[in-house]
Amino acid sequence: MKNLMKKWTDISLILRIIVGLVIGAVLGVAAPHASIIAVFGSVFVGALKGAAPILVFFLVASSLANANAGIGSRFRTVIMLYLAGTFLSSVVAVTASFAMPVTLQLALDAADSVAPSGIGEVLMNLINNMVVNPITAISSANYIGILFWAILLGFALKGLNAKSSCEVLSEFADGISTVVRWIIQFAPFGVMGLVFSSVSENGLAIFTTYGKLIVVLLLSMAAVQLIFYPIIVALVLKQNPYPLVLRCMRESGITAFFTRSSAANIPVNMQLCEDLGLDRDFYSVSIPLGATINMGGAAVTITVMTMACAHTLGINVSFGTAIVLSVLSALGACGASGVAGGSLLLIPMACSLFGINNDIAMQVVAVGFIIGVIQDSVETAINSNTDVLFTATAEYYEEHKNK
């Protein structure tokens, strides 16, 4: 059994995932009713989601309790990169919406979920999620609350100079990290099940009805991922950004695309940061923080869908107003993880900027749920893999600056 596991782990994980992807797609077409295959996907995502909250809590608390004094500048840099990237994503989406205006058929039933009424409600949700019971935060995967309590515990232990407690935290973090590495080794089976589910359930009909909307969304997200984010990295590091960009896409973006869950991808990102040789004290905080505020893909979704709604209703949108929309979308996107339903339920808040009533805006949300199998997959891939991209950029920048 040990020899079999060694042979399995000696094969490149990316190669194994690609094989799983191909097998899942073939089975989705050839045997769409073999629902047992989908179980592999749900078990894999469930295992990652189950481990991620505990991993984040202990890693963040342990890292801060044991952190050295020079780590603060890296946090400032990565937060600036997260926020700048999210705002730039909104601007790109605005430009794409002007260049390729999209109209929608708003004859759908409104989504049942309740959207936040404005940016104030989004911020209140964030604050309320911060101070929720820490056990509840872990059990419900509320990463705002997990980060808040882990940060408090980490700083408290650091202030008390409680070395034994810090060592216990580190050992817990190491143990959970090992469990997560075991789970990630079975990613090829999980991806196989997830691809099978997507292919067997959705087919290609989605491309005909909402093809142009999907094209605008995907082109905007591709421009953000492949052009504008690399420009940011190049300006900061003053070197070719694409080796790092492509590695993050390959090793983080693929799993995020199929799991469609930033939370499930946190352990994958942690492992990639370790493989890149980054400082664990830094990335164990910056990665879960990025899963909360680095929301370039979500900002694109909110902006494009809102502009499409405005074009459908014949509302004349000036470029200045669109830039205000970019700011609102960026702020809203940063709070997306704290709102049930993610980025789609922030569309009505953005629509309110143009005086669009909630009934119409919720029909746009319903369109978003229909195309979500594509939109949400790509959005999550961008949101998640760039957490590693900006974390690595911040660390490399600070290392170069201090030489």
Side-chain angles (χ1 to χ4, degrees), residues 87 89 104 116 127 136 159 209 230 262-263 272 361:
F87 174 70
S89 299
L104 306 171
I127 294 170
T136 303
T209 307
S262 294
L272 176 53

Side-chain angles (χ1 to χ4, degrees), residues 25 91 121 145 337 342 354 386-387:
V91 175
E121 186 175 341
S337 61
F354 303 115
T386 55
D387 293 347

Side-chain angles (χ1 to χ4, degrees), residues 141-188:
N142 169 11
Y143 286 93
I144 298 293
I146 292 170
L147 279 171
F148 177 74
W149 290 110
I151 288 170
L152 286 184
L153 177 61
F155 280 131
L157 291 175
K158 189 175 184 66
L160 292 172
N161 197 25
K163 292 183 179 179
S164 59
S165 298
C166 292
E167 289 173 0
V168 171
L169 278 178
S170 295
E171 289 172 357
F172 266 109
D174 289 341
I176 298 163
S177 297
T178 300
V179 171
V180 167
R181 281 194 288 271
W182 292 344
I183 295 170
I184 291 173
Q185 289 302 319
F186 292 93

Side-chain angles (χ1 to χ4, degrees), residues 240-296:
N240 179 9
Y242 284 100
L244 179 60
V245 170
L246 295 177
R247 183 170 182 181
C248 291
M249 289 176 62
R250 184 175 67 250
E251 298 188 27
S252 171
I254 290 176
T255 53
F257 180 90
F258 290 111
T259 61
R260 295 171 61 186
S261 170
S262 294
N265 216 49
I266 286 175
V268 177
N269 284 346
M270 296 278 198
Q271 182 62 52
L272 176 53
C273 287
E274 183 174 329
D275 294 341
L276 288 169
L278 304 184
D279 182 357
R280 177 169 165 170
D281 287 348
F282 175 49
Y283 72 70
S284 61
V285 180
S286 70
I287 291 298
L289 179 64
T292 304
I293 68 171
N294 180 38
M295 292 287 170

